[in-house]
Amino acid sequence: MSTGKRAGSRRGASPPRTLNRTALLICAAITVCVVAWGYLVYAAIDFGTAARDGGDGSTWLFMALACLGAIACLFVGLLLVARLMRALGITQPPDTPSEPRPVGGKRAAR
């Protein structure tokens, strides 16, 4: 590498980093989903234990609702992780086909 008086950096100054507000908002939403998922799993376990001991029908219903809520929170959280990857530029959107497929799903015969 040159060290003379005319030697300089081969690259220009890098632009200042900016805050990606979209990614920050998605991270906050992922955090909320994960916390809600954890709470609902804990509630489902608690309701399941109470239903097994007491045998009350409404407790089984609450357990089922907590399970469905936990499933929904985890699903939304995973969708948000995929969206975060897109916002950070880690993944790219899918390429659009140049020729649309017919309704039957098969390409037209040529």
Side-chain angles (χ1 to χ4, degrees):
M1 178 170 225
S2 300
T3 57
K5 68 179 181 178
R6 296 184 188 252
S9 174
R10 294 193 180 270
R11 292 186 285 170
S14 61
R17 299 188 101 181
T18 59
L19 181 65
N20 190 346
R21 293 183 193 270
T22 305
L24 189 63
L25 182 67
I26 293 173
C27 283
I30 290 170
T31 303
V32 168
C33 283
V34 168
V35 169
W37 172 78
Y39 177 76
L40 287 169
V41 166
Y42 180 78
I45 292 169
D46 192 38
F47 284 132
T49 304
R52 218 174 59 193
D53 293 340
D56 187 14
S58 64
T59 313
W60 286 109
L61 177 66
F62 286 139
M63 186 202 68
L65 290 175
C67 287
L68 289 175
I71 291 168
C73 283
L74 189 60
F75 182 71
V76 170
L78 289 174
L79 288 178
L80 288 172
V81 167
R83 194 157 184 134
L84 177 66
M85 297 283 203
R86 178 86 42 93
L88 293 176
I90 296 172
T91 59
Q92 299 296 325
D95 295 333
T96 57
S98 59
E99 180 181 318
R101 290 188 174 196
V103 177
K106 296 182 181 178
R107 294 192 181 263
R110 295 182 188 204

